[in-house]
Each structure stands twice: as structure tokens, then as C-alpha cells.
Amino acid sequence: MSSRKHFKGIAYNLAQFCISRNNDLLGYWAIGQLYSFALEQGVNEVVIDVLRQEVRPQTHRFSELSAAYLDLMVKIAASNGARFDYLEEAVVVFMFDVEYQSKYHWFGSALGKPFLCVVELTSDLGKRYSATLGCNIRPHDPNREYRREHF
């Protein structure tokens, strides 16, 4: 019988992917695009509800990203022997312009503003599993960024 204990690791793996440079959208780092969107909307937080495939503030601009997160979670769960149907909620929260915290923002602290990525998974039993990671971010600027090849 599969347990729900794998959800903690799945949350951490998804958070690691979310802040990595491999998390791209249209060939550019997705976090920079999310930050630009947050600035446009006048908010400090963008929430992606992975299971419901919804983004708050509401937009369809990141539907491909949300679908990629769901696909990644399904693959991670399968590789860990976790039962994906035990998952009731999966939310990725990107918090921008947060206070500096050495635990999350020590590397390259002069490069952009601190942000946090929080992944929260809730099991069918109501237990929450979360992971928080962070780094520094600048708004998306195609003139300063390299686009992934073969896009």
C-alpha cells in the first residue's frame, strides 16, 4: 500500500525545478516572466493551482507552464511509487519583493530582488506538505537574457 509520505519530497523536487533555470517558458526563464506579470498586475504574488490548472491573478499566459508542472508532478509521483490520486491540492506560490532571508537569498544577493517559491501539496487526509526555496530575480527582459536554443 502506497503512503503519502512521498508528498514532502515531491513538493521539494517541484520547488527545486520551479526556481531552476530549466523552468522556462517560450525559451526564457519562467520566473522572470512571472515577475513581469506580477508587476503588470500590481501584485506581489502569483499562484498556480497545478491540479485545477488555474493561475491567480487570472490569465491564460501561463497555461503551458501550469501543464508542465502537472506533468512533472505526475512523473515524480510515479517514480517514487506515490499515489497521485491521494493528492487533493497542489499549489505553487511565487512571492516577489520579499524580505531578504540569508537561508534563501545568500547567493548572488546583488542580482535582482529576493523572491520565494512555496509549493504546498495537500493530501486527501488534509495533511499539508510544503517546500520553500528562493533566489533573486529581475523582471523578464529579452534584451538581457539568452533564449534557449532550438526553441
Side-chain angles (χ1 to χ4, degrees):
M1 183 161 116
S2 178
S3 71
R4 292 153 183 84
K5 67 182 177 183
H6 296 290
F7 289 154
K8 177 69 176 170
I10 293 169
Y12 185 75
N13 287 341
L14 182 58
Q16 279 186 313
F17 176 77
C18 286
I19 70 166
S20 80
R21 295 290 175 177
N22 292 324
N23 181 19
D24 68 3
L25 179 66
L26 304 175
Y28 293 103
W29 195 32
I31 307 300
Q33 295 177 64
L34 288 163
Y35 185 33
S36 291
F37 174 70
L39 291 172
E40 290 168 14
Q41 298 296 310
V43 298
N44 288 328
E45 192 173 279
V46 176
V47 179
I48 298 178
D49 186 325
V50 179
L51 295 182
R52 291 178 186 80
Q53 294 290 283
E54 297 173 353
V55 178
R56 294 184 301 270
Q58 188 175 7
T59 182
H60 293 289
R61 201 154 115 186
F62 301 105
S63 57
E64 184 180 316
L65 187 63
S66 181
Y69 291 170
L70 179 61
D71 185 51
L72 180 63
M73 282 185 52
V74 169
K75 288 177 182 174
I76 294 170
S79 71
N80 285 295
R83 294 265 315 260
F84 198 74
D85 57 331
Y86 286 169
L87 197 58
E88 287 292 317
E89 185 174 52
V91 177
V92 181
V93 182
F94 296 95
M95 296 182 284
F96 302 104
D97 297 327
V98 298
E99 298 249 347
Y100 172 85
Q101 298 175 52
S102 60
K103 180 178 179 179
Y104 302 115
H105 307 115
W106 62 273
F107 182 75
S109 59
L111 302 174
K113 295 184 177 184
F115 93 96
L116 291 175
C117 173
V118 179
V119 175
E120 290 186 345
L121 306 181
T122 306
S123 77
D124 57 337
L125 301 177
K127 181 163 177 158
R128 287 193 169 193
Y129 304 85
S130 67
T132 302
L133 295 174
C135 65
N136 298 294
I137 186 68
R138 289 184 180 154
H140 172 62
D141 181 357
N143 295 322
R144 292 182 60 138
E145 299 173 33
Y146 291 105
R147 191 172 196 182
R148 179 174 47 113
E149 286 187 39
H150 309 296
F151 183 77

